[in-house]
């Protein structure tokens, strides 16, 4: 009985989707405009080859990605030489040249490097690290099921006005708010994360999740398609497959009763 009621509610509200096509075969609906790149572009490459990986290269890569302002492009790379003096990090600042930095083995060293490259006026290492730590603590709380504590920590982190990693904080809070049932709050946070970092795939997935929770299945489908556009490799991930299946179930309700 409850199932029938749900299906009927869905039928009356949603006729907009191209429900015959499975989500994964839909052509991209809207191409996202490329992110405008600032003139003082900064690229950071962290060696994750064997020796550097043993010295913490992957952890430093994650920390740098969590600290960096959107105009800084952070990625992994192969051997930069100087094996044993790592983790080694190559950095280039447009117009200023490039250099390799050794012994960047902790988040604190990563933050110092960013402050050095961008200048203290643009990047405050102390604030960046405080926000990174709060986000990590919040994610642990969320995993333990304490979404309220996670939400409070993330709200505090947003208040610190860091210059980088803020899209990650909004994304985490979006997740926490969705868990708490604050769907409109979750949607707002996902939209803010996309505004700060339009190419951040996870934010588009969370945008889709909030829309799904609102019963906006067609818009959720669009948001998932945006995520897939940005990173086609997510198609193989379990979490993406779960999202698609859940959405198709809803869309199947519409097609079977119309
Ligand atoms: C990684 O290091 C090994 C030697 O330890 C080297 O043979 C290989 O070419 C390196 N790979 C890259 C991508 O730099
Ligand atoms: C960074 O921020 C902290 C806390 O807001 C402040 O005390 C410190 O002076 C700032 N550092 C720089 C170099 O601006
Ligand atoms: C839900 O999120 C909004 C922000 O969009 C916030 O203002 C509100 O306090 C939150 N509601 C609850 C019940 O936490």
């Amino acid at each position: 009985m409850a199932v029938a009621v749900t299906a009927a509610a869905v039928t009356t509200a949603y006729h907009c989707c191209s429900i015959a096509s499975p989500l994964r075969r839909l052509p991209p609906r809207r191409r996202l405009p490329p992110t405008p790149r600032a003139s003082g572009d900064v690229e950071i490459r962290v060696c994750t080859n064997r020796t550097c990986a043993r010295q913490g290269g992957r952890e430093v890569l994650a920390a740098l990605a969590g600290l960096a302002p959107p105009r800084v492009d952070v990625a992994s790379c192969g051997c930069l030489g100087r094996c044993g003096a790592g983790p080694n990090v190559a950095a280039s600042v447009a117009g200023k040249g490039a250099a390799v930095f050794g012994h960047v083995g902790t988040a604190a060293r990563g933050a110092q490097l960013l402050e050095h490259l961008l200048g203290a006026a643009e990047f405050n290492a102390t604030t960046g690290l405080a926000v990174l730590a709060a986000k990590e603590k919040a994610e642990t709380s969320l995993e333990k099921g304490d979404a309220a504590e996670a939400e409070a920590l993330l709200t505090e982190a947003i208040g610190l006005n860091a210059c980088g990693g803020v899209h990650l904080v909004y994304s985490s809070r979006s997740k926490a708010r969705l868990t708490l049932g604050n769907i409109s709050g979750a949607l707002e946070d996902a939209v803010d994360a996309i505004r700060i970092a339009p190419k951040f795939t996870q934010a588009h997935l969370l945008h889709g999740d909030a829309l799904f929770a609102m019963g906006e299945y067609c818009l959720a489908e669009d948001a998932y398609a945006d995520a897939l556009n940005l990173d086609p490799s997510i198609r193989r991930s379990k979490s993406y497959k779960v999202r698609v299946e859940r959405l198709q179930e809803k869309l199947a309700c519409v097609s079977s009763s119309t």
Side-chain angles (χ1 to χ4, degrees):
M1 192 57 201
V3 171
V5 170
T6 312
V10 169
T11 310
T12 43
Y14 296 99
H15 294 284
C16 56
C17 302
S18 43
I19 44 188
S21 4
L23 181 62
R24 63 180 172 281
R25 272 198 257 121
L26 283 183
R29 294 188 176 214
R30 293 172 273 131
R31 286 242 163 235
L32 293 163
T35 319
R37 311 211 91 202
S39 52
D41 260 336
V42 181
E43 268 189 16
I44 291 181
R45 295 291 176 265
V46 182
C47 174
T48 51
N49 202 351
R50 215 174 313 155
T51 310
C52 282
R54 256 201 314 268
Q55 293 179 317
R58 285 180 213 288
E59 292 74 16
V60 164
L61 172 65
L64 279 166
L67 286 163
R71 81 174 177 103
V72 179
D73 183 48
V74 180
S76 65
C77 68
C79 187
L80 295 167
R82 303 191 204 174
C83 301
N88 293 310
V89 175
S92 67
V93 179
K96 284 192 184 166
V100 175
F101 299 83
H103 302 292
V104 188
T106 59
R109 292 301 302 264
Q112 279 165 11
L113 177 61
L114 282 169
E115 194 173 278
H116 170 74
L117 294 170
L118 303 173
E122 182 179 340
F123 187 85
N124 183 321
T126 312
T127 311
L129 287 168
V131 169
L132 186 68
K135 185 174 72 75
E136 280 166 7
K137 199 168 160 203
E139 275 163 8
T140 307
S141 301
L142 194 56
E143 272 164 30
K144 283 191 199 142
D146 194 345
E149 181 178 276
E151 207 239 6
L153 283 164
L154 294 163
T155 299
E156 212 174 293
I158 288 169
L160 294 175
N161 285 320
C163 17
V166 182
H167 59 296
L168 298 170
V169 180
Y170 276 110
S171 295
S172 291
R173 196 174 67 174
S174 177
K175 225 183 294 175
R177 284 185 164 171
L178 196 60
T179 307
L180 290 169
N182 186 350
I183 301 173
S184 66
L187 183 71
E188 246 175 62
D189 280 350
V191 168
D192 277 333
I194 292 170
R195 183 179 48 74
I196 298 165
K199 288 185 179 173
F200 183 48
T201 309
Q202 185 69 17
H204 292 275
L205 291 173
L206 292 165
H207 187 211
D209 292 348
L211 290 164
F212 180 89
M214 290 177 140
E216 294 283 358
Y217 304 125
C218 303
L219 295 175
E221 186 179 36
D222 283 351
Y224 293 150
D226 286 342
L228 191 61
N229 240 347
L230 284 166
D231 180 4
S233 77
I234 60 172
R235 174 172 303 173
R236 292 189 299 271
S237 76
K238 176 131 192 285
S239 72
Y240 183 76
K241 286 179 189 160
V242 168
R243 285 176 164 103
V244 170
E245 272 164 27
R246 203 175 56 162
L247 189 59
Q248 279 176 343
E249 246 167 56
K250 294 293 182 189
L251 300 180
C253 285
V254 186
S255 72
S256 63
S257 43
T258 43

